[in-house]
Amino acid sequence: DPEPQFTLYNLCNGEKRGRIDLPLTILDKQGVTRRARVEMAALSRPPSTAGYTVAAVVHIGQSLDYTIATWELKEDHWTEIGSAADRVLDILFYQGSFHFLTSNEDLIRLVPEGLSFRMESYHVKFRSSKPIDDYYEAQETGYILRRYLVESTAGHLLFALKKTHCSKRTVDIK
């Protein structure tokens, strides 16, 4: 069987620099190199610039645990930073840190610390014109909710909910 390959593509750039082949192994916290499967990843800056970091959610071996890891171009493996207790829905690089949104709507922030990162967790605060419970009740009446992190044009980190009726066919682009 051919080895699986994980690649990031810059869809706005047809150049070779827009393609990044990601490593297939991870250095875990015990210093052991193991196989890794990438579920999602984000870049700290465009791939055409030097010095970027990639943060990802990976599964180590056959595990379905959500492991948070980072990788830099000079390395041949991911480096384990920690684990998320819940499923990770999205990643965004915002104001110098990677942010991970979990299924129970917590944020995990990777804060640069020396040559590595430390994890900080906090809960999302809502400011909405509609009570958030209404959105979750809608999920029970034939709607699907998708959750995303986005940066507004004013430079704020936003938690976005996309509500789609199950009977409508939509294209969901991340």
Side-chain angles (χ1 to χ4, degrees), residues 105 123-128 132 136 159 161:
E105 297 168 358
H123 192 68
V124 174
K125 291 185 181 180
F126 293 100
R127 278 188 262 160
S128 174
I132 201 72
Y136 294 103
F159 168 58
L161 285 173

Side-chain angles (χ1 to χ4, degrees), residues 95-144:
Q95 293 188 349
S97 298
F98 288 99
H99 294 74
F100 297 76
L101 177 64
T102 69
S103 58
N104 73 350
E105 297 168 358
D106 285 333
L107 281 176
I108 298 170
R109 181 175 167 222
L110 289 190
V111 180
E113 191 171 73
L115 299 175
S116 188
F117 294 86
R118 79 177 184 304
M119 292 173 51
E120 292 180 350
S121 295
Y122 49 101
H123 192 68
V124 174
K125 291 185 181 180
F126 293 100
R127 278 188 262 160
S128 174
S129 58
K130 183 175 184 177
I132 201 72
D133 291 339
D134 291 354
Y135 290 108
Y136 294 103
E137 287 172 15
Q139 201 167 1
E140 297 170 7
T141 59
Y143 287 89
I144 298 170

Side-chain angles (χ1 to χ4, degrees), residues 13-47:
N13 169 346
E15 300 173 26
K16 174 103 172 107
R17 292 182 307 209
R19 175 185 163 159
I20 303 169
D21 292 326
L22 300 174
L24 299 173
T25 59
I26 185 169
L27 183 64
D28 68 17
K29 291 216 175 232
Q30 289 74 38
V32 177
T33 300
R34 305 189 43 206
R35 300 224 6 107
R37 295 181 332 273
V38 178
E39 182 166 317
M40 66 179 70
L43 288 155
S44 63
R45 60 179 63 162

